[in-house]
Amino acid sequence: FNPTTNIPFTLKKAGIISLKIFDLMGREVTTLVNEHKIAGMHNAIWNGKDAFGKAMPSGMYLYRIEADGIVETRKMQLLK
């Protein structure tokens, strides 16, 4: 993706959700969502920047969604 990407997710029931971006070394880059959400479809947008607003280099990143005791991790590639 370049310069932003949408990360869609669906919640079966309302609850606290956490969506974080990590580099391949496992270091947290930023938190996109950490709040209560209602059931249904949602989108989170990552602009390719870390938590301090610094642009991240091209490469592979992971995003991890945690909701209702379920953890899901996916890969994505940032291209510049």
Side-chain angles (χ1 to χ4, degrees), residues 16-54:
I16 300 291
I17 181 165
S18 171
L19 195 160
K20 296 181 179 191
I21 307 294
F22 296 87
D23 65 16
L24 289 181
M25 298 296 290
R27 295 176 295 221
E28 185 176 328
V29 173
T30 192
T31 299
L32 299 181
V33 180
N34 190 23
E35 61 188 15
H36 186 271
K37 293 280 190 184
I38 62 170
M41 297 180 68
H42 300 275
N43 276 310
I45 298 173
W46 186 40
N47 59 5
K49 296 181 180 179
D50 69 8
F52 304 103
K54 179 184 170 205

Side-chain angles (χ1 to χ4, degrees), residues 48-79:
K49 296 181 180 179
D50 69 8
F52 304 103
K54 179 184 170 205
M56 298 303 295
S58 294
M60 295 296 293
Y61 291 87
L62 304 170
Y63 67 87
R64 184 177 71 200
I65 299 175
E66 296 181 43
D68 194 33
I70 298 170
V71 179
E72 187 172 306
T73 303
R74 300 262 193 238
K75 284 190 225 179
M76 59 184 163
Q77 186 169 9
L78 173 60
L79 300 172

